[in-house]
Amino acid sequence: ITEDDIESELMIFILAGHETTAHSLSFATYALASHPDVFARCQQEIRQHLSSVPDAEHPYSVLTPLPEYVEACIKESMRKYPVAARGSLRVQLFSGAPASASSKNEPTVLDVSHLPLPCSSVTVPEKTIFHINIFSMHNSKRIWGEDAAEYRPERWLKVPTLTSTGAYAGASVRGDLAGDGPDVGAAEEQLVFLPFSFGPRNCIGMNFALWELRSVLCAIINEVETISLPTDQYPVLADESQLLQTDMITMKPALQLPVRIKMRSSRG
């Protein structure tokens, strides 16, 4: 790669590789400071995990995998506060497309009879671009249930891993979507959790971003004794509706998110 190539991609490196991860860390820290019980459990799991790892162990092997509940907290933060709040997908027909699109020049017909629309199907020409409101989808009560607005890491405890296509498998979603009870289903199958988009054009920096997020967040949780929101000094922190700026390409805090911390005094 030449210097000119690097220069032409610098904005992508900065925007996609650091700015979005920084906002994700801000939201994750805010969520933990808002839920001291969740923070305490994460802290216990991380310290137990780190105490069982030899000092010479490579950092990557230390953080992959993380304890289950810590991973659940990271996933729940990305669900509730998706930095990539909007996305787009282009319809492209391939071999193996549905019977309603038997040839390359024929449009795809989507069955939408299960949705509250005035029609039962939608005809989609090839190369149509869909714009997806990921923030609304991640916070939809219809998808996630009545507690969709709550930060509840427990909803992710069934989830094994992040798939290579950019979606998480096995997240709890509304039963009427999954068709099997009140709290079952897979987010990957329903395509309702897309922090890194989905498919062959999902975020190319997904694994790098997750590694950064895990590394920094675990260091903070391990080194800090307590964390809380200074709502006495900044009452606005108690009103989450004023904290999010969603009218940009990426979602970010609408204002600074200060937290009050007490550093770890000893390692005994």
Side-chain angles (χ1 to χ4, degrees), residues 58-78:
H58 190 277
Y60 183 82
S61 59
V62 172
L63 297 174
T64 51
L66 282 176
E68 183 181 37
Y69 191 73
V70 180
E71 285 282 7
C73 290
I74 293 174
K75 295 166 188 174
E76 179 69 348
S77 178
M78 290 192 293

Side-chain angles (χ1 to χ4, degrees), residues 46-139:
I46 286 175
R47 290 182 177 177
Q48 288 178 348
H49 176 67
L50 293 178
S51 66
S52 65
V53 177
D55 292 339
E57 195 76 34
H58 190 277
Y60 183 82
S61 59
V62 172
L63 297 174
T64 51
L66 282 176
E68 183 181 37
Y69 191 73
V70 180
E71 285 282 7
C73 290
I74 293 174
K75 295 166 188 174
E76 179 69 348
S77 178
M78 290 192 293
R79 179 197 69 84
K80 196 169 186 300
Y81 311 107
V83 173
R86 292 183 290 178
S88 62
L89 295 174
R90 174 173 291 180
V91 174
Q92 181 71 53
L93 303 183
F94 302 96
S95 60
S100 59
S102 57
S103 72
K104 187 174 182 180
N105 296 321
E106 292 183 12
T108 297
V109 179
L110 301 179
D111 179 7
V112 294
S113 57
H114 61 293
L115 298 176
L117 297 174
C119 56
S120 60
S121 64
V122 175
T123 301
V124 184
E126 186 180 12
K127 297 184 179 180
T128 298
I129 296 177
F130 286 87
H131 293 279
I132 305 170
N133 190 326
I134 295 175
F135 177 82
S136 295
M137 184 168 64
H138 280 198
N139 288 271

Side-chain angles (χ1 to χ4, degrees), residues 197-209:
S197 190
F198 182 77
R201 294 185 180 273
N202 69 307
C203 175
I204 193 172
M206 176 181 69
N207 291 327
F208 176 66

Side-chain angles (χ1 to χ4, degrees), residues 11 27 30 33 39-40 50 71 73 101 104 111 130 161 202 224 255 266:
M11 185 54 67
F27 288 128
Y30 169 80
F39 173 79
L50 293 178
E71 285 282 7
C73 290
K104 187 174 182 180
D111 179 7
F130 286 87
T161 54
N202 69 307
V224 168
L255 43 80
S266 68

